Amino acid sequence: MPMSESFKSRLFPAVEEIAAHFGTPFHLYDEAGIRATGEELKKAFAGIEGYREYYAVKALPNRRILQLMKEMGFGFDCSSIPELILARELGATAEDIMFTSNNTSDEEFAFAAADGGCILNLDDITLIDKVPAPFPDLICFRYNPGPRRTGNLIIGNPVEAKYGISHEQVVEAYRRAQKRGARRFGLHTMVASNERDYTYMVETARMVLSLAETVEDALGIRFEFVNIGGGFGIPYKPEDHGLDLPAMSAEIGALFAAFRAKHGYAPKMYMESGRFMTGPHGVLVTRAINHKDIYRKYVGVDACMSALMRPALYGSYHHIDVIGKEQSPKTEVYDVVGSLCENNDKFAVQRELPKVDEGDLLVIHDTGAHGHAMGFQYNGRLRPMELLLRTDGSVEMIRRAETVEDYFATYNFSPDRFTPAQS
Ligand SMILES: *Cc1c(COP(=O)(O)O)cnc(C)c1O
């Protein structure tokens, strides 16, 4: 199921009032739901010593949300300078931060090393020599298994994915890192996205543990941690089953226990879920402002793809409820559209819905990850505000809507005109 019954029961009765107070459109996130999922994860993996979630900041890079993650004891998975700043602002430092960049620049390496540093997760063997001295004590590599694993639609086939070092490079990568002075080691991979088959994640854990063994045999390295990445899936469609977290954690726990029995120690397990942590706990609330009836029937709403790119980018399904008509028969078939001059600016295509009237509120489910975060300003369409439904029932604005001033802010610079000598 998409949005939980609990979230619905707290939001739907109040949503008209919230919309009247703040205006529409807005993303709204559910603090209780996010906390519950965080606790569920911790409980599921409590049997693995040193388990830690590093929340993938890119999924929902809002300070207030990241504060919740911090309160739950999570670290942060960052891949850009602004994401590092966000994490550090909250007091995260050193091993609270995994820096999993790719195609990394000198500026990024310098920033990652500053302010107490972070866990550097290198995406390629050629980057080892580009890490500024002093080389960090603790180093990690991102592993791409290539043809050893099949991927999925969102992340792509590992063979075609730009990420990570190849299987053949692994031992050499750690050897070179050792030569540059690394003494502590981690191993990272991320091979799936929105994967709801828990056995895939179990295979990922098996894969990294087995690779850790290979590297240990070759170089005598003991891995401090393995990081199985993000990619835990959520059900977007009503008929989708969720990830079987208890079964997954039991099987992964058994793999770590077996490793410990064989080697007398086991690495810690890290993961970096974004979608699983916040995806189902966010919605986009938007009002129907127009309708048209041409070759198809359209409902025009006051949000557009600047607030939610996933349908346009991946053809993703996001469930929609029409407030006050949750139980009404779905007698109509609509495309639910925004106002951008792009024909893929659609939240739903040929969707069965109850009859929508202008003024109706639509709740678009599962926008808590890769929603607002992926927004943009194309066509002068600005990103909406973000709200947090607190556990006490109050609603807090946690980011205002973008304004026309924000749109023009990048024209604020000192004039600079240069004539190259070669002209
Ligand atoms: C995007 C990303 C994640 C989070 O992915 P989800 O699908 O949101 O869990 C984790 N780690 C890395 C390196 C990523 O790029």
Side-chain angles (χ1 to χ4, degrees):
M1 231 1 238
M3 204 180 162
S4 74
E5 288 307 319
S6 157
F7 186 12
K8 271 189 200 175
S9 73
R10 285 173 291 114
L11 176 66
F12 285 10
V15 72
E16 278 290 359
E17 244 186 294
I18 298 168
H21 180 82
F22 291 99
T24 53
F26 54 83
H27 284 276
L28 177 141
Y29 311 116
D30 178 27
E31 177 182 2
I34 292 171
R35 287 189 185 279
T37 297
E39 295 310 319
E40 208 184 312
L41 268 186
K42 284 199 275 188
K43 186 165 156 250
F45 293 103
I48 301 179
E49 220 177 291
Y51 163 77
R52 197 176 191 193
E53 151 80 352
Y54 285 73
Y55 181 69
V57 171
K58 77 164 189 275
L60 181 44
N62 184 295
R63 283 176 179 162
R64 192 67 185 78
I65 300 296
L66 300 180
Q67 177 69 40
L68 301 181
M69 303 302 166
K70 181 94 191 329
E71 286 168 18
M72 290 190 285
F74 295 162
F76 299 100
D77 167 48
C78 303
S79 68
S80 66
I81 289 175
E83 289 183 358
L84 282 170
I85 295 173
L86 271 170
R88 286 173 178 164
E89 267 183 0
L90 288 164
T93 173
E95 286 164 40
D96 298 327
I97 302 172
M98 285 280 299
F99 189 60
T100 300
S101 56
N102 69 90
N103 188 22
T104 312
S105 67
D106 292 345
E107 189 193 6
E108 287 170 332
F109 277 128
F111 205 90
D115 274 339
C118 55
I119 304 175
L120 208 52
N121 186 17
L122 295 180
D123 188 67
D124 193 57
I125 197 160
T126 58
L127 295 176
I128 299 169
D129 292 334
K130 297 184 181 175
V131 175
F135 199 81
D137 221 39
L138 173 60
I139 198 78
C140 184
F141 286 95
R142 179 172 185 164
Y143 168 63
N144 180 335
R148 288 157 193 82
R149 298 297 295 280
T150 52
N152 61 16
L153 178 70
I154 294 183
I155 203 160
N157 183 344
V159 173
E160 295 163 7
K162 66 172 176 168
Y163 308 110
I165 58 176
S166 74
H167 191 77
E168 293 69 25
Q169 292 171 329
V170 172
V171 169
E172 182 58 19
Y174 285 95
R175 192 194 318 273
R176 287 197 208 169
Q178 256 182 327
K179 243 172 109 183
R180 277 214 62 191
R183 294 288 168 263
R184 301 167 56 207
F185 303 91
L187 173 63
H188 170 276
T189 198
M190 164 132 180
V191 281
S193 183
N194 196 29
E195 182 56 67
R196 288 179 294 109
D197 176 358
Y198 83 88
T199 64
Y200 195 93
M201 299 300 171
V202 174
E203 288 319 302
T204 298
R206 192 192 311 279
M207 175 183 82
V208 285
L209 285 175
S210 143
L211 194 62
E213 210 167 65
T214 305
V215 179
E216 174 166 2
D217 287 348
L219 303 174
I221 282 173
R222 275 199 172 188
F223 280 92
E224 268 186 38
F225 69 84
V226 290
N227 184 331
I228 64 170
F232 292 24
I234 60 168
Y236 284 96
K237 293 183 179 166
E239 67 271 23
D240 286 347
H241 67 84
L243 187 73
D244 188 342
L245 190 59
M248 180 173 81
S249 58
E251 290 184 30
I252 292 180
L255 292 175
F256 277 75
F259 190 101
R260 185 180 294 281
K262 185 169 167 194
H263 298 269
Y265 81 100
K268 295 184 266 191
M269 187 180 84
Y270 296 164
M271 64 174 59
E272 41 193 40
S273 277
R275 187 191 320 271
F276 188 82
M277 267 305 307
T278 52
H281 308 305
V283 291
L284 174 61
V285 177
T286 182
R287 206 178 280 284
I289 54 170
N290 287 299
H291 69 281
K292 69 189 288 182
D293 192 351
I294 48 170
Y295 309 105
R296 285 182 178 183
K297 286 185 178 173
Y298 294 89
V299 171
V301 296
D302 62 2
C304 71
M305 66 196 280
S306 70
L308 183 66
M309 283 288 287
R310 298 189 70 260
L313 207 53
Y314 311 118
S316 307
Y317 178 98
H318 282 264
H319 199 64
I320 296 179
D321 271 313
V322 183
I323 293 300
K325 300 178 180 175
E326 298 89 324
Q327 309 305 331
S328 307
K330 298 182 173 178
T331 54
E332 311 296 314
V333 176
Y334 295 117
D335 282 13
V336 177
V337 304
S339 41
L340 219 119
C341 301
E342 280 290 333
N343 195 42
N344 56 2
D345 176 24
K346 295 180 176 183
F347 293 113
V349 175
Q350 296 295 280
R351 181 74 56 87
E352 290 181 7
L353 286 174
K355 184 170 181 308
V356 176
D357 295 300
E358 288 179 20
D360 281 349
L361 277 182
L362 274 61
V363 173
I364 302 177
H365 293 214
D366 303 314
T367 69
H370 316 293
H372 186 281
M374 276 192 185
F376 62 120
Q377 297 184 331
Y378 180 50
N379 217 183
R381 295 294 167 187
L382 307 176
R383 277 165 285 203
M385 74 184 95
E386 294 179 289
L387 306 176
L388 181 64
L389 176 60
R390 304 289 308 274
T391 48
D392 66 3
S394 64
V395 179
E396 180 185 337
M397 187 185 292
I398 58 173
R399 190 198 299 266
R400 65 162 170 79
E402 282 178 341
T403 62
V404 172
E405 288 72 30
D406 295 326
Y407 182 77
F408 286 100
T410 42
Y411 291 110
N412 245 329
F413 58 89
S414 5
D416 186 0
R417 184 169 174 175
F418 169 69
T419 306
Q422 298 298 325
S423 74

